[in-house]
Amino acid sequence: MEDIHNDDVIGRARVKDTPELEAYYKELEGLGAGALWTVANDIEPWEPRSSSVPMLWEYDNLRELVLKSSELVTPEQAGRRVVYLVNDKRKDVSAAVGWLYTGIQVTRPGESTSAHRHKASALRFIMEGEGGYTVVDGNKVTFEVNDFVITPNSAWHEHGVAENGKTCIWQDGLDIPLVNALEANDYAVFDGKQPLTAPANYLPLTYSGAGLVPQDANWDKPYSPLFKYAWKDVYPALLEAAKVNEGSPYDGIIMQYSNPLTGGHVMQTMGASIQLLRAGEHTKAHKHTGSFVYQCAKGKGYSIINGKRFDWKERDIFCVPSWAWHEHVNLSETEDACLFSFNDLPVIEKLGLYQEKEYPENNGHQVL
Amino acid sequence: MEDIHNDDVIGRARVKDTPELEAYYKELEGLGAGALWTVANDIEPWEPRSSSVPMLWEYDNLRELVLKSSELVTPEQAGRRVVYLVNDKRKDVSAAVGWLYTGIQVTRPGESTSAHRHKASALRFIMEGEGGYTVVDGNKVTFEVNDFVITPNSAWHEHGVAENGKTCIWQDGLDIPLVNALEANDYAVFDGKQPLTAPANYLPLTYSGAGLVPQDANWDKPYSPLFKYAWKDVYPALLEAAKVNEGSPYDGIIMQYSNPLTGGHVMQTMGASIQLLRAGEHTKAHKHTGSFVYQCAKGKGYSIINGKRFDWKERDIFCVPSWAWHEHVNLSETEDACLFSFNDLPVIEKLGLYQEKEYPENNGHQVL
Amino acid sequence: MEDIHNDDVIGRARVKDTPELEAYYKELEGLGAGALWTVANDIEPWEPRSSSVPMLWEYDNLRELVLKSSELVTPEQAGRRVVYLVNDKRKDVSAAVGWLYTGIQVTRPGESTSAHRHKASALRFIMEGEGGYTVVDGNKVTFEVNDFVITPNSAWHEHGVAENGKTCIWQDGLDIPLVNALEANDYAVFDGKQPLTAPANYLPLTYSGAGLVPQDANWDKPYSPLFKYAWKDVYPALLEAAKVNEGSPYDGIIMQYSNPLTGGHVMQTMGASIQLLRAGEHTKAHKHTGSFVYQCAKGKGYSIINGKRFDWKERDIFCVPSWAWHEHVNLSETEDACLFSFNDLPVIEKLGLYQEKEYPENNGHQVL
Amino acid sequence: MEDIHNDDVIGRARVKDTPELEAYYKELEGLGAGALWTVANDIEPWEPRSSSVPMLWEYDNLRELVLKSSELVTPEQAGRRVVYLVNDKRKDVSAAVGWLYTGIQVTRPGESTSAHRHKASALRFIMEGEGGYTVVDGNKVTFEVNDFVITPNSAWHEHGVAENGKTCIWQDGLDIPLVNALEANDYAVFDGKQPLTAPANYLPLTYSGAGLVPQDANWDKPYSPLFKYAWKDVYPALLEAAKVNEGSPYDGIIMQYSNPLTGGHVMQTMGASIQLLRAGEHTKAHKHTGSFVYQCAKGKGYSIINGKRFDWKERDIFCVPSWAWHEHVNLSETEDACLFSFNDLPVIEKLGLYQEKEYPENNGHQVL
């Protein structure tokens, strides 16, 4: 269902080539210039246009290869031992969708990486394992499956798994392609191990109450002090909200992970959400600007993206490009399903570029 | 321990009366004027000066009289059936301390009040009972002992207790004296009962996760959407924070009730906090601007305020005036103690009037 | 035209005294308590209620006495040589209206004061003279008639007039009564003269372009960096705006002095405006919360305040209390008239207490 | 002077190819995946990296061709009659530098365009002519040489030149490449001519006073209400500031065009500045993130960009890519020189991506 626009109207470029004009264009080209009307209709599209395609990566296929990487290279050799997922149309920028990078990282018990930092921001969603931890700017945070953890831009960070833990696998999300495109990325290696500046889980435990902030908080960073959003708290909150909310027609019960000191996104360039599709729920389709990477955290179902069905179950990862129609279906009639997702909405919103559109036909459902 | 200041210095008024000056003053008075130097030193004090005195109201004394009010008058006759607590030096403005009002309200099972609203803001801290509820702008919120509930300025509100509940007693806190002093208060009576606009506890259940906000939230009010801060969530959060925080030297583990969408105070004119004094804890003394009303929510201990000891136990209420030295002591060596308090800090902070000072002697402790 | 309200309705206190109740009230009083319903209707008025009365101070009457002060006392003896204007109903707090103080200060050529500071904020509007200056936090600012100058809270400040200048008279406006009421004022004397930290008029010259800010500005103060709003720029801006604006029905062409870095009020507790009444203009009446002190900067006319006419001409000062009906009239059919005013709107607005009401009868005009 | 970084350290990818790994990579590729360590060092550069090159476009060369376009095509055929300037390394996205587009538009007396709008923002700096105007969201704004005019995102806009005017030439700046890259651009054609909603120049005249805002302003747009920054006001402000400011070591006296209601950038995605280089001034070199397009508004001189000299005089246009060393020189010993520039700093700053570095050698000057 693509909107049809006609360029043969006033306000669009409608100049036909002539020998004189072609000579003129050549002359301009020699001066590092061009005639706008030769490119105007192309660079001023009627509607948002994405260069990414919808894709789904099945965890069943990837898991073995991810684990195999831990036999092939050490974290030290690799910097990070990660299998990254790349959009068929964004290979040039190593992006999964739009300007977002995602990868699957594996760490074995007893392993830990060295610390580094970069202007790009990072986040993790935990897929498997026990005893995993991250250290961000001197704060050690332990995590479990389905926890959501952030590594804001320019924060030193390193990860590891306790000796007595179990192999941990998690999804990384970064805005490396965006920060590279904006010509602002950098990189630094920490000299040695980061010293811990607080007891383990200091920040999550200090900010663990909804609507409670330490009276002497003097947090002046442009990102959330809540470095971990634990599934043991998040999932019950979804269930509580589901008792009294109808939810979004497009997304069911959907919560944005937020900075408790601002109510806004957790970091400056990437946001993240968790949504619960109730048993049997089939949402309506809409499209909006912003790029999204999803991971199924619970249950099974499918999403229809630009008219194509993508089936998912726990741990599968898929993407929705900017301005792509999408709707979600929970295939179970008895269990809820949960989708984690991260996005570039902070960028889109701060720059005034957000817009959305409801699917106008067929009672809001795409036809397969 | 009062700081000593000398007015006989350059920069202070030091004019001595003469017959000529007295005649001059008389002339000015006739024109609705005066000579600044006759009042300057008085209206420009060296340090903040409060007209309130520290006071403590024992619940054991008050409880019976509060209950008796429910025999003497109906809510309908009284508008609100409340015993209010008044500072010995603020009787003219019906304030408990500074410009803050507090009272104790009682409602019997099956009773409910009519709805009204005012520019003054209100809050409640629940002391006794079961089955109590408030309806604020169409949102019904049920509450239990030690829950903290807000009624922001100009919101319609009414309260009641379910037929099968138990007599409820709660503390009201309002900024009526302040809003009257600022010549901005008003009052309106709702015509009939407020219609409910959402399921019961819609807002508390929707905002119950730390760092989670509904993605489609479009809350545009200048106060917290979290109308209730439930003790069942607040007390565990204090315990979690106590695991990893040393706490404030003056207040132990202290959390500010906050608007999850801003990290700021719950309302525009009044803030509130909950603090936990660990077993045996004796904090240091400091003083700061802002007026405070406390209620002991758990345990027993005492506070030293401007050199005088005030012993408190569960449900006792006391106040700390602006710029009064104060320190707190938990008398139990095994149990923690909790103090709820509300204040006018939003006013003091927004107007740039906050300052504090540590007690400089005797290792930070006042001498009784 | 006062709105009539009836307290004999549900939602208001309507308890009649009985011997039993009187005994009860006595018992409460002994415990530092009272029954809310005995004071409720008084402390919860139906509409905002001011304790100030409208007043006008004629400069013709005051000028001689102001100048005489310079013969009677030295600035050094007096601290500040000021005649202050006091509302008949606010003598207890030395306020001209509400919680605002105003006075008229005189400084002779060659005189200068010592520096001091206080939590109260100050502002000046220049009435007469040449060669006057103020030094605020190390910034010297020279001023001329009708210039508006600010001295924000806790900034060191001192004033003077150059040896070769002419006696300067200006109006001071301060929020001393408010900051005292909020129990937060303080005072300190600078030890010696303030060293200048920048060339004279550094801040006004640096911020002199509308919509231009120094790219390396790192101003982190909660008040305007534009310490002076010069009449030579302000009056032309009024004329420019008058070309294309109808203006406010209540105030003609009215501009708020603003912080160019925020668009908000110049200081945290006091705002100020300048308004132009076109030849023959007679505005409509309205009332709103907030207290106002006016000075006529140009022309002549009158204002009707709560039904009473107050005639003013250049340099006269008058006040409009909170919630008082007021309208303004320019008596000239050929010349415009300008009114400077300052107010406590930053307080009223930040605390959510602003409301206004249009005069509903007689086509918006009060009947004298 | 490029910083040297070594990838053969811990924290960087240092995996050597083996047959086993190559097979592994192939397997990953088949699943839409890859091994991060094969691209990590490339996508995580040590320092910001720009794909643009410094360039200068001489107006002497371009002017004739620009005028010629007005003989070759009509505005109606062309949509916009513009010669755009394109960076040698950014031809694929039609950008002059980074993600910024710039072009030179010509309009003859009596000509006017139809109205359109897009999510991309636009700005203009006037180069030649008389009687030009723009209409933005119903506001007609007339302009003169060196005026700076904005067309915020999604505002309807059209331009023209009065019948009795002179051919106008101006520089357009747009963020079309950025908004396309973010997959969020759109386009719409206005049906007919925009009706004017206010007198001509309503907004510039209303906001023409520094530190003065209309008291009844209810501007809720995320961009400046000051649609025009007139050279007749801007240049004097630079001269005033120059009296009391040393200026930036890198830029002389530099002012950011700002939104008078926020002190921030004029629009959400593009900022602009005007700078004055005093007679003989030679600034020091620095580099920072963000892309810049300059136009010389007055005088003559040169800039050294990444070690290469670019001479400019009035109307010449040049660019400085992100993270390129640059310093500026005014070649006149008697006259000042002025450079207008626009940039993507709002993007860089809001996303937390700004950083800068002083040229560390040779007393801050690059060696040619």
Side-chain angles (χ1 to χ4, degrees):
Chain A
M1 221 215 74
E2 195 56 49
D3 290 311
I4 307 303
H5 295 283
N6 177 9
D7 279 341
D8 190 16
V9 294
I10 288 199
R12 297 296 275 183
R14 293 168 298 160
V15 178
K16 295 208 162 46
D17 277 1
T18 64
E20 190 181 17
L21 279 170
E22 277 167 24
Y24 178 68
Y25 299 155
K26 193 140 240 146
E27 208 170 352
L28 285 175
E29 198 180 346
L31 296 170
L36 175 59
W37 59 86
T38 62
V39 295
N41 293 359
D42 181 51
I43 67 176
E44 295 189 318
W46 292 97
E47 290 204 23
R49 202 170 49 190
S50 175
S51 60
S52 298
V53 288
M55 287 181 70
L56 181 141
W57 295 267
E58 284 182 57
Y59 190 56
D60 282 351
N61 293 335
L62 286 167
R63 187 173 184 277
E64 193 185 356
L65 285 172
V66 167
L67 287 170
K68 191 173 174 187
S69 77
S70 73
E71 294 157 22
L72 295 171
V73 295
T74 65
E76 190 163 308
Q77 285 175 302
R80 289 290 178 280
R81 199 165 51 203
V82 180
V83 166
Y84 74 104
L85 311 182
V86 63
N87 196 286
D88 283 351
K89 300 290 185 186
R90 300 294 278 169
K91 290 184 179 172
D92 52 338
V93 293
S94 305
V97 63
W99 300 99
L100 297 174
Y101 159 99
T102 202
I104 303 178
Q105 184 162 176
V106 57
T107 309
R108 288 175 174 172
E111 282 184 351
S112 71
T113 62
S114 58
H116 67 191
R117 71 175 184 192
H118 35 62
K119 268 281 178 299
S121 295
L123 52 83
R124 336 267 162 208
F125 194 76
I126 312 308
M127 304 174 83
E128 285 192 27
E130 279 175 26
Y133 65 87
T134 184
V135 183
V136 177
D137 267 347
N139 289 281
K140 181 174 182 174
V141 174
T142 60
F143 47 62
E144 296 173 40
V145 170
N146 279 349
D147 286 359
F148 167 59
V149 177
I150 60 169
T151 304
N153 60 333
S154 292
W156 294 109
H157 56 285
E158 59 190 86
H159 322 296
V161 173
E163 286 283 357
N164 61 350
K166 292 186 182 159
T167 295
C168 285
I169 301 180
W170 61 80
Q171 181 184 7
D172 292 325
L174 290 103
D175 57 1
I176 284 179
L178 176 70
V179 181
N180 285 340
L182 294 175
E183 310 188 331
N185 209 4
D186 63 7
Y187 196 87
V189 170
F190 194 87
D191 190 13
K193 281 271 166 192
Q194 288 180 77
L196 300 189
T197 58
N201 294 313
Y202 165 70
L203 287 172
L205 288 171
T206 298
Y207 287 90
S208 67
L212 291 178
V213 300
Q215 188 150 296
D216 47 359
N218 53 355
W219 188 259
D220 60 356
K221 306 276 173 55
Y223 43 78
S224 175
L226 196 51
F227 282 8
K228 174 173 69 176
Y229 297 75
W231 185 246
K232 75 173 174 53
D233 300 325
V234 169
Y235 183 60
L238 288 172
L239 295 180
E240 291 283 73
K243 290 180 189 167
V244 289
N245 282 273
E246 281 183 44
S248 152
Y250 313 114
D251 285 307
I253 302 297
I254 182 162
M255 293 275 170
Q256 190 173 285
Y257 295 101
S258 81
N259 179 339
L261 300 179
T262 67
H265 292 291
V266 291
M267 297 188 292
Q268 288 171 290
T269 50
M270 288 191 294
S273 295
I274 186 76
Q275 73 193 88
L276 181 148
L277 300 168
R278 285 155 291 196
E281 184 159 10
H282 185 153
T283 69
K284 292 194 172 186
H286 69 158
K287 63 182 179 183
H288 46 74
T289 45
S291 298
F292 290 72
V293 178
Y294 290 79
Q295 183 189 134
C296 175
K298 181 170 184 295
K300 62 171 198 282
Y302 64 91
S303 299
I304 309 176
I305 310 169
N306 273 351
K308 190 170 162 199
R309 172 171 168 161
F310 294 86
D311 279 80
W312 40 255
K313 62 178 191 300
E314 231 172 275
R315 305 302 149 224
D316 287 346
I317 292 171
F318 63 97
C319 71
V320 175
S322 181
W323 210 241
W325 296 114
H326 57 288
E327 61 193 280
H328 306 297
V329 183
N330 178 353
L331 276 173
S332 167
E333 291 300 324
T334 53
E335 300 293 315
D336 54 41
C338 294
L339 295 174
F340 163 82
S341 61
F342 71 93
N343 56 63
D344 59 0
L345 281 182
V347 177
I348 295 299
E349 291 171 358
K350 281 187 228 178
L351 305 186
L353 300 175
Y354 188 77
Q355 61 176 306
E356 61 184 325
K357 196 169 180 176
E358 193 173 35
Y359 192 80
E361 296 175 4
N362 192 34
N363 196 27
H365 295 296
Q366 300 165 79
V367 183
L368 286 173
Chain B
M1 222 214 77
E2 194 55 50
D3 290 310
I4 308 302
H5 296 284
N6 177 9
D7 278 343
D8 190 16
V9 294
I10 287 198
R12 297 297 273 183
R14 292 167 301 157
V15 177
K16 293 208 164 44
D17 277 3
T18 65
E20 190 182 16
L21 279 171
E22 278 167 23
Y24 178 68
Y25 298 156
K26 191 138 242 149
E27 211 171 349
L28 286 175
E29 199 181 343
L31 296 170
L36 175 59
W37 58 87
T38 64
V39 296
N41 292 359
D42 183 51
I43 66 176
E44 296 189 317
W46 293 97
E47 291 204 20
R49 204 170 49 191
S50 175
S51 61
S52 298
V53 289
M55 286 182 70
L56 181 142
W57 294 267
E58 286 183 53
Y59 190 56
D60 282 350
N61 293 334
L62 287 167
R63 188 173 185 277
E64 193 186 355
L65 286 170
V66 167
L67 287 170
K68 192 173 172 186
S69 76
S70 73
E71 296 157 22
L72 294 171
V73 297
T74 64
E76 191 164 305
Q77 285 174 299
R80 289 289 178 282
R81 199 164 52 204
V82 179
V83 166
Y84 73 104
L85 311 182
V86 63
N87 197 286
D88 283 350
K89 302 288 187 189
R90 300 294 279 169
K91 290 183 180 173
D92 54 336
V93 294
S94 304
V97 63
W99 299 99
L100 297 175
Y101 159 99
T102 203
I104 304 178
Q105 185 161 177
V106 58
T107 307
R108 288 175 175 170
E111 283 184 350
S112 71
T113 62
S114 60
H116 67 190
R117 71 175 181 191
H118 34 64
K119 267 281 179 299
S121 295
L123 52 83
R124 336 267 161 208
F125 194 76
I126 313 309
M127 304 174 84
E128 286 192 26
E130 281 176 23
Y133 64 87
T134 185
V135 183
V136 178
D137 268 347
N139 288 281
K140 181 174 182 174
V141 174
T142 60
F143 48 62
E144 297 173 39
V145 171
N146 279 348
D147 285 0
F148 167 60
V149 177
I150 61 169
T151 305
N153 61 334
S154 292
W156 294 109
H157 56 286
E158 60 189 87
H159 322 295
V161 173
E163 285 284 357
N164 62 350
K166 293 186 183 159
T167 295
C168 285
I169 301 181
W170 61 79
Q171 181 184 6
D172 291 327
L174 289 105
D175 58 359
I176 284 179
L178 176 70
V179 180
N180 285 339
L182 294 176
E183 310 187 331
N185 209 2
D186 63 7
Y187 196 88
V189 170
F190 194 87
D191 191 13
K193 283 270 165 193
Q194 290 180 74
L196 299 189
T197 57
N201 294 311
Y202 164 71
L203 287 171
L205 288 171
T206 299
Y207 287 90
S208 67
L212 291 179
V213 300
Q215 188 149 297
D216 48 358
N218 52 356
W219 189 259
D220 60 356
K221 306 276 172 55
Y223 44 78
S224 175
L226 196 50
F227 282 7
K228 174 173 70 175
Y229 297 75
W231 185 247
K232 73 172 176 52
D233 300 325
V234 168
Y235 183 61
L238 288 172
L239 295 179
E240 292 282 73
K243 289 180 189 166
V244 288
N245 282 274
E246 280 183 44
S248 152
Y250 313 114
D251 286 306
I253 301 298
I254 183 162
M255 292 276 170
Q256 190 174 283
Y257 294 102
S258 82
N259 179 339
L261 299 179
T262 68
H265 291 292
V266 290
M267 296 188 291
Q268 287 171 292
T269 51
M270 287 191 295
S273 294
I274 186 75
Q275 74 193 89
L276 180 148
L277 300 169
R278 286 155 290 197
E281 183 159 11
H282 185 153
T283 69
K284 293 194 175 189
H286 69 157
K287 63 182 181 183
H288 46 72
T289 46
S291 299
F292 290 72
V293 178
Y294 290 81
Q295 184 190 137
C296 174
K298 181 169 184 295
K300 61 171 196 280
Y302 65 91
S303 299
I304 308 175
I305 310 170
N306 273 352
K308 192 170 159 197
R309 171 171 168 163
F310 293 86
D311 279 79
W312 39 256
K313 62 179 191 298
E314 230 173 277
R315 304 301 151 223
D316 287 347
I317 292 171
F318 63 98
C319 71
V320 175
S322 180
W323 212 240
W325 297 114
H326 57 286
E327 61 193 279
H328 306 297
V329 182
N330 178 355
L331 275 172
S332 167
E333 291 299 325
T334 53
E335 299 294 316
D336 55 41
C338 293
L339 295 174
F340 163 81
S341 59
F342 71 92
N343 56 63
D344 59 359
L345 281 182
V347 178
I348 295 299
E349 291 170 357
K350 281 186 227 176
L351 305 186
L353 300 175
Y354 187 78
Q355 60 178 308
E356 61 183 325
K357 196 169 176 176
E358 193 174 35
Y359 192 80
E361 296 174 5
N362 193 33
N363 197 26
H365 295 297
Q366 298 164 80
V367 184
L368 286 172
Chain C
M1 223 216 72
E2 195 57 49
D3 290 310
I4 308 303
H5 295 285
N6 178 8
D7 279 342
D8 190 15
V9 294
I10 287 199
R12 297 297 273 184
R14 293 167 300 158
V15 177
K16 294 207 164 47
D17 277 1
T18 65
E20 190 182 15
L21 279 170
E22 277 165 25
Y24 178 68
Y25 298 156
K26 192 137 242 151
E27 210 172 350
L28 286 175
E29 199 181 345
L31 295 170
L36 175 59
W37 58 87
T38 63
V39 296
N41 292 358
D42 182 52
I43 66 176
E44 296 190 315
W46 292 99
E47 290 204 20
R49 202 171 49 191
S50 176
S51 60
S52 298
V53 288
M55 287 183 70
L56 180 142
W57 294 267
E58 285 184 54
Y59 191 55
D60 282 351
N61 293 334
L62 285 168
R63 187 172 185 280
E64 194 186 353
L65 286 171
V66 167
L67 287 169
K68 192 173 173 187
S69 76
S70 73
E71 295 157 21
L72 295 170
V73 297
T74 64
E76 191 165 305
Q77 284 174 299
R80 289 289 179 281
R81 200 163 52 201
V82 179
V83 166
Y84 74 102
L85 311 182
V86 64
N87 197 287
D88 283 350
K89 300 289 187 190
R90 299 294 278 170
K91 289 184 180 173
D92 53 336
V93 294
S94 303
V97 63
W99 298 99
L100 297 174
Y101 159 99
T102 201
I104 304 178
Q105 185 161 179
V106 59
T107 307
R108 289 174 172 172
E111 282 183 352
S112 71
T113 61
S114 59
H116 67 191
R117 71 175 181 190
H118 34 62
K119 267 283 178 298
S121 295
L123 53 82
R124 336 266 164 208
F125 194 76
I126 313 308
M127 304 174 84
E128 287 192 28
E130 280 176 23
Y133 65 88
T134 184
V135 183
V136 177
D137 267 348
N139 288 282
K140 183 175 182 174
V141 174
T142 60
F143 49 62
E144 297 174 40
V145 171
N146 279 348
D147 285 0
F148 167 60
V149 176
I150 61 169
T151 305
N153 61 334
S154 292
W156 294 109
H157 56 286
E158 59 189 89
H159 322 296
V161 173
E163 287 282 359
N164 61 349
K166 292 185 183 161
T167 295
C168 285
I169 300 181
W170 62 78
Q171 181 184 7
D172 291 326
L174 290 104
D175 57 0
I176 285 179
L178 176 70
V179 180
N180 285 340
L182 294 176
E183 311 189 328
N185 210 3
D186 63 6
Y187 196 87
V189 170
F190 194 86
D191 191 13
K193 283 269 166 195
Q194 290 180 75
L196 299 188
T197 57
N201 294 313
Y202 164 70
L203 287 171
L205 289 170
T206 299
Y207 287 90
S208 67
L212 291 178
V213 301
Q215 187 148 299
D216 47 0
N218 52 356
W219 188 259
D220 59 357
K221 305 278 172 56
Y223 44 78
S224 174
L226 197 51
F227 282 8
K228 175 174 69 175
Y229 297 75
W231 185 246
K232 72 171 177 53
D233 300 325
V234 168
Y235 183 60
L238 288 172
L239 296 179
E240 292 281 74
K243 290 179 189 166
V244 287
N245 282 273
E246 281 182 43
S248 151
Y250 313 113
D251 286 306
I253 302 297
I254 182 162
M255 292 277 172
Q256 188 173 284
Y257 294 102
S258 82
N259 179 339
L261 299 180
T262 67
H265 293 291
V266 291
M267 295 187 292
Q268 287 171 290
T269 51
M270 288 192 293
S273 294
I274 186 76
Q275 73 192 89
L276 181 147
L277 300 169
R278 286 153 293 197
E281 183 158 11
H282 185 151
T283 69
K284 294 195 172 186
H286 69 157
K287 64 182 179 182
H288 46 71
T289 45
S291 299
F292 289 72
V293 178
Y294 290 80
Q295 184 189 138
C296 175
K298 181 169 184 295
K300 60 171 198 284
Y302 65 90
S303 300
I304 309 175
I305 310 170
N306 273 350
K308 194 172 160 197
R309 171 171 167 160
F310 294 86
D311 279 79
W312 39 257
K313 62 178 190 301
E314 231 172 275
R315 304 302 150 224
D316 287 345
I317 292 171
F318 63 98
C319 71
V320 175
S322 180
W323 212 239
W325 295 114
H326 57 286
E327 60 192 282
H328 306 296
V329 182
N330 178 354
L331 276 172
S332 169
E333 291 299 325
T334 53
E335 300 293 316
D336 54 41
C338 294
L339 295 174
F340 163 81
S341 59
F342 72 92
N343 56 63
D344 59 358
L345 281 182
V347 177
I348 296 299
E349 291 170 357
K350 280 186 230 178
L351 305 187
L353 300 175
Y354 188 77
Q355 60 178 309
E356 61 183 327
K357 196 168 177 177
E358 194 174 33
Y359 192 79
E361 296 175 4
N362 193 32
N363 197 25
H365 294 296
Q366 299 164 80
V367 184
L368 286 172
Chain D
M1 223 217 71
E2 195 54 51
D3 290 309
I4 308 303
H5 295 284
N6 177 8
D7 279 342
D8 190 14
V9 293
I10 287 198
R12 298 297 274 184
R14 293 167 299 158
V15 177
K16 294 207 164 47
D17 277 1
T18 64
E20 190 182 15
L21 279 170
E22 278 167 23
Y24 178 69
Y25 299 155
K26 192 138 240 147
E27 208 170 353
L28 287 175
E29 200 180 343
L31 296 169
L36 175 59
W37 59 86
T38 62
V39 295
N41 293 358
D42 182 52
I43 67 176
E44 296 190 316
W46 293 97
E47 290 203 22
R49 202 171 51 190
S50 175
S51 60
S52 297
V53 288
M55 287 183 69
L56 182 141
W57 294 268
E58 285 184 56
Y59 190 57
D60 282 351
N61 293 336
L62 286 168
R63 188 174 184 277
E64 194 185 356
L65 285 172
V66 167
L67 288 170
K68 191 172 174 187
S69 76
S70 72
E71 295 158 21
L72 295 171
V73 295
T74 64
E76 191 164 304
Q77 286 175 299
R80 290 289 179 280
R81 198 163 53 202
V82 180
V83 166
Y84 73 104
L85 312 182
V86 63
N87 197 286
D88 283 351
K89 300 289 186 189
R90 300 292 280 169
K91 290 183 179 173
D92 51 337
V93 293
S94 304
V97 64
W99 299 99
L100 297 174
Y101 160 99
T102 202
I104 303 177
Q105 184 161 177
V106 60
T107 308
R108 289 173 172 171
E111 283 183 350
S112 70
T113 62
S114 59
H116 67 192
R117 71 175 183 191
H118 34 61
K119 267 283 177 299
S121 294
L123 52 83
R124 334 267 164 208
F125 194 76
I126 313 309
M127 304 175 84
E128 286 192 26
E130 279 175 26
Y133 65 87
T134 183
V135 182
V136 178
D137 266 347
N139 289 281
K140 181 174 183 174
V141 174
T142 60
F143 48 61
E144 297 173 40
V145 170
N146 279 349
D147 287 358
F148 167 60
V149 177
I150 61 170
T151 305
N153 60 334
S154 292
W156 294 110
H157 56 285
E158 59 188 90
H159 322 295
V161 173
E163 285 284 357
N164 62 350
K166 292 185 184 161
T167 294
C168 285
I169 301 180
W170 61 79
Q171 181 183 7
D172 292 325
L174 289 104
D175 57 0
I176 284 178
L178 176 70
V179 180
N180 284 340
L182 294 175
E183 310 187 331
N185 209 4
D186 64 8
Y187 196 87
V189 170
F190 194 86
D191 189 13
K193 281 270 167 194
Q194 290 180 75
L196 299 188
T197 58
N201 294 313
Y202 164 70
L203 286 172
L205 288 170
T206 299
Y207 287 89
S208 67
L212 291 178
V213 300
Q215 187 148 297
D216 47 358
N218 53 356
W219 188 260
D220 60 355
K221 305 277 173 55
Y223 43 78
S224 176
L226 197 51
F227 282 8
K228 174 174 69 175
Y229 297 75
W231 185 246
K232 74 171 176 52
D233 300 325
V234 168
Y235 184 60
L238 287 172
L239 296 179
E240 291 283 74
K243 290 179 188 167
V244 288
N245 281 274
E246 282 182 42
S248 152
Y250 313 114
D251 285 306
I253 303 296
I254 182 160
M255 293 277 171
Q256 189 173 285
Y257 295 101
S258 81
N259 179 339
L261 299 180
T262 66
H265 292 289
V266 291
M267 296 188 290
Q268 288 171 290
T269 49
M270 288 192 294
S273 294
I274 186 75
Q275 73 193 88
L276 181 148
L277 301 168
R278 285 155 292 198
E281 183 160 9
H282 185 153
T283 69
K284 294 195 171 185
H286 69 158
K287 64 181 178 184
H288 46 72
T289 45
S291 298
F292 290 72
V293 177
Y294 290 79
Q295 183 190 136
C296 175
K298 181 171 184 294
K300 62 171 197 283
Y302 65 90
S303 299
I304 310 176
I305 309 169
N306 272 352
K308 190 170 163 197
R309 172 171 169 161
F310 293 86
D311 278 79
W312 41 255
K313 63 177 191 300
E314 232 172 274
R315 303 303 149 223
D316 287 347
I317 291 171
F318 64 98
C319 71
V320 174
S322 180
W323 210 241
W325 295 114
H326 57 287
E327 61 192 281
H328 307 296
V329 183
N330 178 354
L331 276 172
S332 168
E333 291 300 325
T334 54
E335 300 293 315
D336 54 42
C338 293
L339 295 174
F340 163 82
S341 60
F342 70 93
N343 56 63
D344 58 0
L345 281 183
V347 178
I348 295 299
E349 290 171 358
K350 281 186 231 178
L351 305 187
L353 300 176
Y354 187 77
Q355 60 178 308
E356 61 183 324
K357 196 168 178 177
E358 192 174 36
Y359 193 79
E361 295 174 6
N362 193 32
N363 197 26
H365 294 296
Q366 298 164 80
V367 184
L368 286 172

